[in-house]
Amino acid sequence: MKRLLVTGGAGFIGSNFVRYVTTIEPDIYITVLDKLTYAGNRENLANLTQNVELVIGDICDVSLVEKLVPVNDAVIHFAAESHNDQSLDNPSLFVQTNIIGTYTLIEACRKFNTRYHHVSTDEVYGELALDDPKKFTPESPYNPSSPYAATKAGSDLLVKAWVRSFGLHATISNCSNNYGPYQHIEKFIPRQITNILCGTKPKLYGNGKNVRDWIHVDDHSSAVWLILTQGKIGETYLIGANGEKDNKAVIDLILELMNQPNDAYEYVTDRLGHDLRYAIDATKLEQELGWQPKFTDFRKGLFETIMWYRENQQWWLREKEAVEREYMNRKK
Ligand code: NAD
Ligand code: DAU
């Protein structure tokens, strides 16, 4: 593969993926297609100008997509509306980008016979009970809870149908919760780190017992690259690094690593339909493709993430007030 089209490459995971590929395959030319919504930022691609081009545009724009797809060897589709809380406020944007956008891309890939990789989430499987010994596997039934998760589930099902009916050369990955640099400050971990840096208390939804399965974003990138280059067409791979933690435990660790008193947080109103627990069984990816996560020390990864937000205040500070105002308005 010499040329890749990466949608959503100016967002959190997409930009980390672009950086990862430029490091391991410096000769590959990457075109990023990104609308630069509030979650996209051209600064996420700073210092990557050689062999990386940013096209500002919408994945729902058929004529633009049909220009970009045929001149690339593969499409890696990260672009999405990605935040559950936002999806409860404005679901129609999620239907448009996550479903119509995916449809537009797979139609173009079908037309030009282009390899397609679909980046998705473990949220399509719904929630697990806290005491359930089971984890999600590629055979788990789809049972999404939020508008975000439902639109991601819909997009996965479109891809599966295009593989079966039209022979689309596609793979799908469903990953657990990512953390690391360049994550938008609306999301749990960066919101709490930046709250503390601004002198505000971290906010814990509900009783803090909800569990997420944390993975470092660079481990997500290495898994997507392996699936793109060695995955079997038509297959779904689950990506996770055995990182289950409840939200209270994550807050406790952030407080400790940032030298705060252990009671310096507050409980706030819970999210509507808040899923209790996600957990990934990544056996298929490990056994069939030999993937292993590298960043398994969560304490170290979290500390480095805290340092990144400390050292890159210019990246997030101007948005902080507006993000918190939006959270306040949501509560009303
Ligand atoms: P993000 O919100 O940080 O980035 C999304 C990017 O997509 C932004 O740059 C935005 O500008 C762009 N975008 C949005 N709508 C667009 C449109 N219509 N046309 C073109 N570009 C558009 O999201 P993220 O957290 O980096 O997630 C990336 C992908 O990974 C998503 O598909 C998400 O569902 C999936 N995923 C995320 C996680 C996670 O923990 N964040 C876990 C598993 C899967
Ligand atoms: O599981 C993968 C998914 O992880 C991705 O598909 C989504 O794109 C991504 O946003 C993420 O979804 P979550 O809803 O799990 O992530 P979020 O960071 O919003 O919240 C993580 C947990 O923390 C969740 O249980 C809600 C809770 N939370 C969140 C915020 C913003 C709080 O307790 N306080 C908060 O302020």
Side-chain angles (χ1 to χ4, degrees):
M1 286 186 216
K2 293 198 171 70
R3 298 180 72 98
L4 303 180
L5 179 62
V6 178
T7 72
F12 164 47
I13 304 174
S15 65
N16 278 290
F17 177 77
V18 170
R19 186 166 294 102
Y20 176 82
V21 174
T22 58
T23 310
I24 59 160
E25 295 285 349
D27 293 334
I28 289 186
Y29 190 87
I30 299 177
T31 302
V32 167
L33 171 58
D34 199 296
K35 193 176 165 186
L36 295 186
T37 66
Y38 77 95
N41 187 340
R42 59 165 75 242
E43 283 175 43
N44 296 3
L45 298 168
N47 310 324
L48 291 177
T49 39
Q50 207 197 344
N51 279 1
V52 178
E53 174 197 10
L54 170 63
V55 174
I56 300 170
D58 195 324
I59 53 167
C60 303
D61 178 342
V62 177
S63 63
L64 177 60
V65 165
E66 289 199 350
K67 252 186 231 141
L68 294 174
V69 167
V71 294
N72 281 284
D73 302 313
V75 174
I76 303 94
H77 177 35
F78 290 92
E81 287 294 337
S82 69
H83 191 36
N84 277 298
D85 291 324
Q86 298 271 7
S87 82
L88 296 163
D89 296 343
N90 187 4
S92 84
L93 200 52
F94 285 70
V95 173
Q96 179 66 17
T97 286
N98 298 355
I99 295 191
I100 305 299
T102 298
Y103 163 75
T104 307
L105 289 166
I106 58 178
E107 271 296 77
C109 288
R110 168 160 89 106
K111 187 166 173 183
F112 300 107
N113 203 20
T114 305
R115 172 82 171 88
Y116 173 86
H117 180 72
H118 186 71
V119 177
S120 192
T121 170
D122 56 3
E123 295 198 17
V124 299
Y125 303 117
E127 67 178 1
L128 294 162
L130 292 179
D131 59 355
D132 191 337
K134 283 199 300 290
K135 297 182 172 197
F136 299 132
T137 70
E139 288 72 43
S140 296
Y142 274 50
N143 187 24
S145 307
S146 71
Y148 161 69
T151 58
K152 290 297 291 188
S155 71
D156 290 13
L157 296 179
L158 288 177
V159 177
K160 286 172 193 276
W162 262 237
V163 168
R164 176 158 174 147
S165 299
F166 304 126
L168 184 74
H169 291 265
T171 41
I172 298 177
S173 56
N174 297 82
C175 187
S176 61
N177 281 64
N178 286 219
Y179 75 98
Y182 299 98
Q183 186 166 31
H184 194 276
I185 56 167
E186 68 188 351
K187 303 284 167 41
F188 179 56
I189 287 180
R191 183 180 184 209
Q192 315 316 336
I193 295 171
T194 55
N195 275 346
I196 293 172
L197 292 174
C198 291
T200 318
K201 285 183 178 172
K203 314 278 186 250
L204 207 39
Y205 290 173
N207 60 13
K209 292 193 176 143
N210 303 64
V211 170
R212 295 296 181 263
D213 188 353
W214 293 99
I215 180 172
H216 192 278
V217 65
D218 288 345
D219 281 332
H220 189 179
S221 293
S222 70
V224 168
W225 180 252
L226 196 61
I227 297 165
L228 178 73
T229 52
Q230 293 178 40
K232 205 167 145 207
I233 296 300
E235 293 291 310
T236 291
Y237 298 88
L238 269 52
I239 306 172
N242 295 316
E244 278 187 76
K245 275 172 194 53
D246 71 38
N247 293 337
K248 168 74 166 54
V250 176
I251 294 255
D252 286 346
L253 190 52
I254 293 175
L255 290 170
E256 183 200 325
L257 293 172
M258 295 182 76
N259 299 316
Q260 299 294 305
N262 60 11
D263 60 351
Y265 66 93
E266 60 191 9
Y267 289 101
V268 296
T269 313
D270 206 356
R271 171 185 286 170
L272 292 175
H274 193 177
D275 281 338
L276 270 178
R277 171 175 163 245
Y278 307 136
I280 289 275
D281 176 349
T283 305
K284 177 175 170 179
L285 180 62
E286 291 166 2
Q287 291 189 348
E288 288 186 15
L289 302 185
W291 178 80
Q292 280 298 323
K294 285 203 181 118
F295 301 87
T296 46
D297 183 343
F298 183 69
R299 187 187 177 88
K300 182 166 179 279
L302 188 60
F303 181 72
E304 286 166 1
T305 304
I306 291 168
M307 292 307 287
W308 189 88
Y309 284 90
R310 232 187 241 290
E311 286 162 11
N312 290 280
Q313 301 212 4
Q314 85 294 344
W315 184 85
W316 57 266
L317 193 56
R318 63 179 175 271
E319 279 183 274
K320 182 67 181 168
E321 209 181 301
V323 169
E324 290 306 316
R325 201 176 321 116
E326 208 168 339
Y327 272 113
M328 283 302 290
N329 291 338
R330 206 167 274 144
K331 248 169 63 181
K332 284 177 193 158

